[in-house]
């Protein structure tokens, strides 16, 4: 390694930014390849615009505005991220920013990031309303947070102050747009600068990318071929655990009777000492983790194995794609209405 200290990576975002949404879908995956935590920092971009004199790209001169809309759609398409322009755009983001920060302060950073990403999807996938309290309550409930407690704390004074502090910090660090990544004080503006950000992380850490981490994970955990997994499928003491995103399940199908566990919540669900523990993760049973291609499941299985809570743990190489290709049982998941 080129340095003995871990760099600090901050992700400044405003929920009203499509580019910030694209970044939110990717930044943790990139950073986790280097075992680097990401500090998500919602802030008020409108307050920064008052200082810089800037404004929304889609409200600029017609030439630039039309280009910006095309670029947003193109970025989503080429990144493989589901996106559609909301009917109401832009939307205020103070309330959802405060809700996110209250969750971070009381439930932890992982829960806050899960909530933030799901709220981004509510706006840019489901044509939702960032300021709709029932929407925030429903999203919070999906990650194990009491919806009434959330509603009562959207205007929490500490969360209000933290959002103001984040915005002031953004001003101090000369953050003029969203998303902006700050790595040890160095700014990277825009989701299209993720490549430069990763290159700088490699320079600082000497560089483990995701492929190296996946190889290391496969060497640590029991890795099953699809044929070996099929031989276990249906046995009463074996549980298949699907780590894919709900949209993947709707689009590609499911392994019947598999337990769906969101990747960001697995460590919380498997630990009996966690407030989010799920009894379905009975340590007496054998668990087979899988995802789309076997990458996420390898990393997840390695992390859970290190926790020592599931003694009989494996992951399926090739993931659902190979399972389906092999002719193994596949079902359909009902598509949620927008």
């Amino acid at each position: 390694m080129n340095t003995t200290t871990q760099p600090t990576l901050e992700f400044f975002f405003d929920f009203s930014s499509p580019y910030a949404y694209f970044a939110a879908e990717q930044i943790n995956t990139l950073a986790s390849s280097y075992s680097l935590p990401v500090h998500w920092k919602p802030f008020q971009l409108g307050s920064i615009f008052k200082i810089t004199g800037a404004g929304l790209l889609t409200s600029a001169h017609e030439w630039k505005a039309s280009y910006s809309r095309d670029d947003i759609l193109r970025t989503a398409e080429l990144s493989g991220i589901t996106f559609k322009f909301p009917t109401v755009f832009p939307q205020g983001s103070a309330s959802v920013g405060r809700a996110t920060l209250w969750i971070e302060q009381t439930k932890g950073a992982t829960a806050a990031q899960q909530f933030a990403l799901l709220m981004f999807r509510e706006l840019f996938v489901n044509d939702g309303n960032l300021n709709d309290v029932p929407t925030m309550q429903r999203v919070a409930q999906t990650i194990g947070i009491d919806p009434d407690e959330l509603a009562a704390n959207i205007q929490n004074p500490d969360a209000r102050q933290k959002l103001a502090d984040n915005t002031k910090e953004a001003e101090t660090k000369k953050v003029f747009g969203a998303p902006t990544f700050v790595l040890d004080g160095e700014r990277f503006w825009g989701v299209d600068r993720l490549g430069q950000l990763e290159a700088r992380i490699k320079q600082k850490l000497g560089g483990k990318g995701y492929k190296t981490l996946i190889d290391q994970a496969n060497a640590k955990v029991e890795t099953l071929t699809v044929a070996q997994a099929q031989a276990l499928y249906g046995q009463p003491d074996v549980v298949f655990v699907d780590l894919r995103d709900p949209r993947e399940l709707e689009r590609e199908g499911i392994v019947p009777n598999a337990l769906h566990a969101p990747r960001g919540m697995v460590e919380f669900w498997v630990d009996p000492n966690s407030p989010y523990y799920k009894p379905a993760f009975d340590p007496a049973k054998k668990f087979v983790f899988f995802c789309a291609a076997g990458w996420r499941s390898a990393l997840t299985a390695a992390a859970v194995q290190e926790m020592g809570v599931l003694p009989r743990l494996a992951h399926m190489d090739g993931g659902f794609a190979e399972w389906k290709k092999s002719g193994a049982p596949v079902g359909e998941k009902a598509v949620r209405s927008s």
Side-chain angles (χ1 to χ4, degrees):
M1 293 178 63
N2 298 328
T3 179
T4 57
T5 59
Q6 186 181 62
T8 298
L9 176 57
E10 300 165 304
F11 168 37
F12 285 88
F13 65 94
D14 188 301
F15 283 94
S16 65
S17 166
Y19 292 113
Y21 160 55
F22 301 148
E25 291 280 7
Q26 300 176 71
I27 185 58
N28 278 12
T29 299
L30 185 155
S32 67
S33 297
Y34 303 89
S35 300
L36 184 63
V38 184
H39 303 281
W40 288 42
K41 296 192 171 182
F43 75 108
Q44 292 288 273
L45 184 58
S47 297
I48 299 299
F49 282 169
K50 291 178 181 178
I51 298 171
T52 63
L56 292 172
L57 293 173
T58 52
S59 299
H61 184 280
E62 191 278 329
W63 296 356
K64 188 173 184 179
S66 61
Y67 173 84
S68 297
R69 291 182 67 88
D70 290 344
D71 185 67
I72 289 167
L73 293 172
R74 182 167 54 238
T75 300
E77 175 192 353
L78 298 181
S79 300
I81 296 173
T82 303
F83 172 86
K84 65 180 178 182
F85 275 105
T87 303
V88 178
F89 181 80
Q91 295 184 16
S93 61
S95 292
V96 68
R98 293 166 187 155
T100 300
L101 291 167
W102 173 78
I103 292 173
E104 181 180 62
Q105 290 170 337
T106 60
K107 313 298 180 183
T110 298
Q113 292 176 16
Q114 282 286 310
F115 176 79
L117 181 55
L118 290 172
M119 286 304 299
F120 266 123
R121 292 174 182 170
E122 283 297 323
L123 178 61
F124 293 116
V125 177
N126 298 329
D127 195 15
N129 182 347
L130 288 176
N131 298 292
D132 182 56
V133 174
T135 296
M136 285 189 266
Q137 289 180 292
R138 173 172 52 78
V139 168
Q141 192 168 26
T142 65
I143 58 171
I145 295 173
D146 183 89
D148 294 330
E149 187 183 7
L150 177 89
N153 283 282
I154 289 174
Q155 302 301 331
N156 180 280
D158 291 340
R160 291 175 67 92
Q161 184 59 53
K162 181 60 177 174
L163 184 61
D165 290 345
N166 280 4
T167 303
K168 184 63 179 178
E169 183 183 357
E171 177 186 344
T172 301
K173 293 181 176 179
K174 299 181 180 179
V175 171
F176 57 86
T180 293
F181 312 98
V182 181
L183 182 70
D184 283 349
E186 184 177 6
R187 296 170 296 164
F188 298 82
W189 172 50
V191 69
D192 56 342
R193 292 297 182 266
L194 283 174
Q196 292 185 8
L197 174 64
E198 182 171 14
R200 187 66 85 213
I201 292 172
K202 285 182 179 179
Q203 287 181 350
K204 288 178 174 289
L205 292 179
K208 287 183 182 179
Y210 73 94
K211 292 182 179 178
T212 299
L213 290 178
I214 291 169
D215 289 342
Q216 291 176 345
N218 278 319
K220 292 178 182 177
V221 302
E222 181 182 2
T223 302
L224 303 175
T225 65
V226 168
Q228 290 171 325
Q230 282 182 290
L232 293 173
Y233 180 68
Q235 295 186 17
D237 65 337
V238 177
V239 179
F240 278 62
V241 180
D242 193 336
L243 303 172
R244 293 175 298 152
D245 184 280
R247 293 173 297 172
E248 294 177 273
L249 274 61
E250 295 172 355
R251 183 173 63 246
E252 300 162 8
I254 61 172
V255 174
N257 301 316
L259 173 65
H260 179 235
R263 173 62 191 92
M265 293 300 294
V266 172
E267 289 86 348
F268 296 97
W269 284 13
V270 302
D271 187 348
N273 295 316
S274 165
Y276 305 113
Y277 174 65
K278 300 291 186 182
F281 286 98
D282 180 353
K285 295 185 177 182
K286 183 180 181 70
F287 291 86
V288 178
F289 286 9
F290 69 94
C291 59
W295 297 0
R296 284 169 286 179
S297 59
L299 296 174
T300 306
V304 173
Q305 179 171 282
E306 189 172 344
M307 294 172 68
V309 293
L310 296 179
R312 302 171 62 203
L313 176 63
H315 95 102
M316 183 171 67
D317 191 31
F320 182 78
E322 288 300 317
W323 176 272
K324 188 174 184 178
K325 183 178 178 181
S326 74
V330 172
E332 294 185 358
K333 176 177 173 59
V335 179
R336 186 182 67 176
S337 59
S338 300

